[in-house]
Amino acid sequence: MPAQSNMLIDGPALWSDLMETARFGGTPKGGICRLALSDEDKSVRTWFAQTCEALGCTVTYDSMGNQFARRAGTCETLPPIMIGSHLDTQPTGGKFDGILGVLGGVAVLRALHSADVSTRHPIEVVNWTNEEGARFTPPMLASGVFGGAFTQEFARSRPDKNGITLGEALEQTGFVGEEDCGKHPACAYFELHIEQGPVLEAEEKTIGVVQGVQAMRWYDVTVTGQDAHAGTTPMTMRSDALWSAARMIDGVHQVAMNHAPDGLSTVGIIECLPASSNVIPGSVHFTVDLRHPSDGTLEIMEKEFYQTLEAIAASCGVEFSISPTWTSDAVHFDPLCVSFVEKSAQNLGYSARKIVSGAGHDAVYVARVVPTAMVFVPCWKGISHNEAESAEPHDVTAGANVLLHAVLQADSEMA
Ligand SMILES: [Zn+2]
């Protein structure tokens, strides 16, 4: 049967899946501790495989342990449309981060199955291994291999804190397939996720149409002055590294404010030496995190950051050095796939806004090799990576409905 434009997912069934799987690694405070490839992760992986098989799917694995649940299409030569996210969590994670994207995919499979709808493309729901990076760093390791950001050798060699490598954990759990990670074909990828920020809730919008992921740059800054006696050194004769750093931190804040509301700047770590209450500090180290959705604007912010520090150092009589430690370019999702998300939200009558993701997701790496889009739904106070993480059933249902219709549009319009 062809799909109907008023077709909807079963919201209560999706909610009950979210609550049922939250038992695997459930914490007393209502969160989840389900580290990648742990016993709890094995349980939820088995649940996912069995649930999808009961919906008529075939479940396979690639060499990074990514799980693919495939519902056949009428034209099996077409590459599948993928839906996915991750089932692993932080040690004190919540019930929605990642899980909603996989179980939202299960809700799509269930809707297609119970309405006996056939699609041209096969539809696949993917559970990416080790997205959180809580057991094996860095985050998004397996989707990173899929997208070509990491080699498989690097990913499989990553150790946990007991020295067990991801490769060893994969062999032990048995969730590993013959297919080389990254060789799995796909014509589109959709990921549903909680926003992990406060914007949708504050603006009372149900759906975030994610345009991409902002660019980020990290720096280490060292300010060098002169240790001196707090009681004998006149104010005009000091080279105070901490006072200078305080002004620099204010300057870093101003750089982002110059590019409001999208520019972001954060100083998250500060160390001061010699750290004695009657010594003028001679050395301060702090970190800077700059972000903006546009690579070009971030470039300008970086220039302003350097100039600001130069001016302050000159007026305060200190030396300074800046070393860049990490950069990540902006990601722009596929315009056609993004338009499917936007139209679906519109057709279903949900309030929506364009949004740029501030956090990393599997979709970032998948987007390197497959046309990709994401759907955000609000979460309570924007809180995430926390046992208190929460979302409303009607928002969760809305997100999965948008996912379903984006997939149906992709099925009719993409080759
Ligand atoms: Zn996530």
Side-chain angles (χ1 to χ4, degrees), residues 86 97-98 131-132 193 361:
H86 57 97
D97 173 3
E131 191 275 346
E132 292 291 359
H193 210 283
H361 295 290

Side-chain angles (χ1 to χ4, degrees), residues 113 311 316 366:
H113 186 74
C316 296
V366 177

Side-chain angles (χ1 to χ4, degrees), residues 153-171:
E153 294 63 41
F154 168 79
R156 289 181 69 107
S157 71
R158 305 304 297 154
D160 68 7
K161 66 177 191 311
N162 299 317
I164 300 167
T165 64
L166 185 140
E168 285 163 352
L170 276 174
E171 304 304 332

